[in-house]
Amino acid sequence: MAPLPSPALVGVDGLYCTGEESLRLTSWNSAASVRLALGGRFLQVGRERPQSINELHTPLTTRAANVTDHALGEGWLQGVTVIASSGTPLTGACFVRVDLVRGRGASATILQTLLQGYVTSSQRRAWPGSEIESSLDGPGLLRSITGTDPAANTEIQETVPTGAQWTLLSMRAALVTDVNAANREVALTVDDGAAIYAEFASGAAQAASLTRQYTFSPAGLRGAAAVGTSHMVAIAPLALPAGHRINTVTTNRQAGDNWGAPQLLVIEWLEPTA
Amino acid sequence: MRLECRACRGTYDDVGEDGVAYFHVCPLELILTVAMDDAGIIDAPLAALRGVAIVHDQATKGKLIADGVDPATIGVVLESRSLVRLGHRDENTAAREGSSRETRRLKSEGAGTRRVDVADASPR
């Protein structure tokens, strides 16, 4: 076997590629209008100066994986970087991984993961240099979400979306009771898509023809305003994987009782599924 | 764009104010088995019990219902079950079609949605 040609300008960290390898960029993203720029330097065999890598990649907005392969020639990969060149994803909204692969499509063999972590429009991931991070590392993305406004006679139910993990910081919603005489009592339950594993009762009665605001938060003790219209319900801080559900349960709910749209404050992490 | 689910009649915006897509999932439907003083035992969704004062516990019935309510209009819940409603919709991604396009298949199309004029929708 002939010895490898010596690169004139390559550093010791250059990664030799045979010509059969590609850079595979995989993204998971929830933010709108994001485009990623994959950059780098590659010194081809027979050349004295490295060439630049400039590729664009458009992530999906559904937290599902999007994959693009970028072929390399024979030579030395000297550096790779990824940044959001369009859009303004915050930390926690756009997760990327760059692998060195041999072959194409689903049958390709992953040879090496070069970088992995969240990117923004001002924070890059780079190889060499960046730590390979889990999508569940870091502070997460703080989101205020307006949920579904249920029809009358329907409870609130919010489901953690596929590809996400939430920590619920707060949920606030209003219940308007109809004229039927009965004391309603509100609770918040959390389930895994089937079985309930947590229930937090308000401990307050709401009679007919009233509007009351309920705030569920791990921040404080249960309390109700003496003459106001708000109830505070203490809940446990729970990490909720995809598919887990946050529900109101209104004991003695009447046919005309009506919940308004809930407002949730959550920390979201992306949790790649494929 | 504000949408109304044709199954549960809930309304929601398909994209949140932070620009992140919102995936609606229908809540379960509550089915009650109710004992009525004058009509025996009824098995029905709550929506079919308009005009009936619903209580969930025979033992607390007297405390929960205000004075002056006709006992004949009081329904005592013997059993309650939460079931997936007809036309259940789940907008989460079941599968993606193609490697670089947004086309995707929902977990459950259900009864579908209709567009709602934001001006006509209830305030948020």
Side-chain angles (χ1 to χ4, degrees), chain A residues 200-226:
Chain A
F200 308 97
S202 68
Q206 180 173 343
S209 303
L210 294 174
T211 299
R212 292 289 180 266
Q213 298 281 349
Y214 291 87
T215 299
F216 304 91
S217 170
L221 299 172
R222 181 172 71 83

Side-chain angles (χ1 to χ4, degrees), chain A residues 172-192:
Chain A
R172 184 174 188 262
L175 173 63
V176 181
T177 49
D178 72 8
V179 297
N180 272 341
N183 282 345
R184 291 74 161 170
E185 182 172 351
V186 170
L188 191 77
T189 67
V190 188
D191 66 47
D192 61 6

